[in-house]
């Protein structure tokens, strides 16, 4: 790490809205790596985000800044950034608050777009305005997928680069012989003993495509045995989905938010990702690391992320989704091939250390004095 000067360490502020699990986990990983390299890190995020992700546990300072863009929130962020050599904001709303807080200061601003903001109608137009304001204000916009980099450039970014972040945390690979019997225990708990287990993970919101997934389950009811679909997550559609499951007698269970996703995947036969949009999906990464065959929609950053290591289907096509899953369940050789391809594909993704090194190189580029010509 090259310090900001020969006498003092680089002082950075990481700004996080606190609403996205993937970006929160990335900021914790980034903070840990930067601190280990001698960088001073302050994380500005809601208090509950620090409680959940432990930024202070890895040596960063934490300043409570609510998600709201009210003047008090922006003022708190302005004070926290007052002595920073560089500010790095994650996500659109956190980035916009940071632009307001920095005002006309010359402090370099780096922005990471982890995902695309989703909205319809007048709010969609409002979000596009925010994107343009943020993209033009940032010294560098980092996108976690090529699609997000292109989006930033269209929004007016002067410098937009691909920065594919790693999946923080340990890589949990199921042991082939499962000596502790974890797989049968989890399958028994879920009610999947003697039948295929299909796992989907994510918030129960419209963009996740779970309505299409429920449509697809109708085709699987004629299989023997009938697969069980398990959805892990919470959200505004829980009531609607549960009513459909009961009214249509679908082989689906909603199990709420879980903190043992790696164990659930280790017990699964197939992982499902039917979303309308995904950037660098944590579920896709977890599934490939765990050698679990994945059926996903060919949207956003998914094709770039998984390559040929997953079955890709069009979004919104319940028949294509159902057929892809059925083919996998009937073909153990294909499942094993995808497991092997998944392990190879996962090995091409950046490690946490490589992610930190890339980000730090951007910081150095923006903070080092330039020689006079």
């Amino acid at each position: 790490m090259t310090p900001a000067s020969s006498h003092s360490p680089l002082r950075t502020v990481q700004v996080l809205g606190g609403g996205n699990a993937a970006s929160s986990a990335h900021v914790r990983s980034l903070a840990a790596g930067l601190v280990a390299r001698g960088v001073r890190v302050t994380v500005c995020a809601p208090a509950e985000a620090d409680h959940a992700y432990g930024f202070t546990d890895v040596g960063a300072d934490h300043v409570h800044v609510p998600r709201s863009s009210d003047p008090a929130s922006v003022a708190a962020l302005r004070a926290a950034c007052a002595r920073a050599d560089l500010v790095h904001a994650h996500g659109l709303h956190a980035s916009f608050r940071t632009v307001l807080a920095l005002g006309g200061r010359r402090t370099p601003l780096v922005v990471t777009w982890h995902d695309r903001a989703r909205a319809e109608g007048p709010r969609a137009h409002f979000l596009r305005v925010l994107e343009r304001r943020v993209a033009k204000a940032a010294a560098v916009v980092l996108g976690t997928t090529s699609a997000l980099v292109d989006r930033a450039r269209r929004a007016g970014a002067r410098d937009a680069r691909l920065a594919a972040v790693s999946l923080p945390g340990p890589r949990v690979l199921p042991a082939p012989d499962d000596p502790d019997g974890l797989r049968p225990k989890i399958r028994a708990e879920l009610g999947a003993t003697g039948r295929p287990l299909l796992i989907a993970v994510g918030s129960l919101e419209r963009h996740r495509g779970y309505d299409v997934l429920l449509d697809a389950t109708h085709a699987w009811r004629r299989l023997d045995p009938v697969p069980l679909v398990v959805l892990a997550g919470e959200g505004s559609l829980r009531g609607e989905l549960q009513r459909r499951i009961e009214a249509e007698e679908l082989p689906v269970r909603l199990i709420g938010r879980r903190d043992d996703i790696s164990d659930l995947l280790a017990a699964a036969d197939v992982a499902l990702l039917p979303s309308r949009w995904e950037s660098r999906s944590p579920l896709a990464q977890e599934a490939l690391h765990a050698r679990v065959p994945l059926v996903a929609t060919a949207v956003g950053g998914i094709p770039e992320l998984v390559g040929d290591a997953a079955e890709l289907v069009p979004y919104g096509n319940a028949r294509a989704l159902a057929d892809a899953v059925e083919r996998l369940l009937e073909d153990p050789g294909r499942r094993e091939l995808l497991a092997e391809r998944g392990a190879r594909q996962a090995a091409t993704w950046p490690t946490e250390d490589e992610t930190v090194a890339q980000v730090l190189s951007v910081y150095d580029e923006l903070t080092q004095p330039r020689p006079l010509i």
Side-chain angles (χ1 to χ4, degrees), residues 32 44 52 80 89 127 129 151 156 199 209 241 251 270 272-273 303 305 335 365 367:
C44 293
L127 291 179
V129 171
R151 189 178 183 90
I199 293 286
L241 294 174
V270 177
L272 304 174
L273 189 63
L305 178 66
R335 296 201 301 273
E365 178 184 332
T367 57

Side-chain angles (χ1 to χ4, degrees), residues 113 144-152 154 162 277-278 300-301 304:
W113 284 3
T144 60
T145 69
S146 297
L148 290 172
V149 172
D150 292 342
R151 189 178 183 90
R154 290 195 300 270
L162 180 65
W277 170 267
E278 291 282 348
E304 179 181 32

Side-chain angles (χ1 to χ4, degrees), residues 178-191 193 267:
D178 195 13
D180 297 325
L182 182 61
R183 178 181 169 92
K185 288 178 183 176
I186 292 177
R187 292 174 72 93
E189 172 209 334
L190 297 174
T193 300

Side-chain angles (χ1 to χ4, degrees), residues 277-300:
W277 170 267
E278 291 282 348
S279 54
R280 195 171 177 84
S281 164
L283 174 65
Q285 294 179 73
E286 289 271 14
L288 267 60
H289 272 297
R291 299 175 60 89
V292 177
L294 172 70
V295 177
T297 44
V299 298

Side-chain angles (χ1 to χ4, degrees), residues 157-208:
R158 42 195 154 143
D159 189 341
R161 312 179 191 181
L162 180 65
V165 302
S166 62
L167 179 68
R171 308 302 187 211
V172 180
L173 301 178
D177 55 355
D178 195 13
D180 297 325
L182 182 61
R183 178 181 169 92
K185 288 178 183 176
I186 292 177
R187 292 174 72 93
E189 172 209 334
L190 297 174
T193 300
R195 61 193 299 196
L197 176 60
L198 315 179
I199 293 286
V201 179
S203 58
L204 305 183
E205 303 296 342
R206 193 71 62 188
H207 71 277
R208 294 292 183 188

Side-chain angles (χ1 to χ4, degrees), residues 210-276:
Y210 289 148
D211 54 338
V212 180
L213 176 55
L214 294 193
D215 291 341
T217 63
H218 284 276
W220 302 329
R221 289 192 299 188
R222 60 181 171 78
L223 301 180
D224 184 19
V226 176
L228 175 66
V229 179
V230 171
L231 306 185
E234 286 291 354
S236 62
L237 293 185
R238 183 182 180 102
E240 177 181 324
L241 294 174
Q242 188 62 52
R243 287 190 292 273
R244 272 201 65 185
I245 292 167
E246 294 172 1
E248 300 171 31
E249 299 182 339
L250 302 177
V252 181
R253 282 194 62 192
L254 306 182
I255 60 172
R257 188 175 290 109
R258 300 280 291 239
D259 58 6
D260 59 346
I261 300 305
S262 294
D263 292 340
L264 291 176
L265 282 172
D269 296 293
V270 177
L272 304 174
L273 189 63
S275 303
R276 180 170 57 194

Side-chain angles (χ1 to χ4, degrees), residues 20-70:
N20 182 286
S23 58
S24 298
H26 169 62
V27 168
R28 186 189 193 279
S29 172
L30 184 58
L34 292 173
V35 169
R37 289 163 172 77
V39 178
R40 291 186 58 180
V41 178
T42 298
V43 178
C44 293
E48 57 268 26
D50 185 45
H51 296 153
Y53 293 93
F55 307 123
T56 52
D57 295 341
V58 298
D61 295 322
H62 172 253
V63 174
H64 170 64
V65 177
R67 293 183 179 90
S68 171
S69 294
D70 65 41

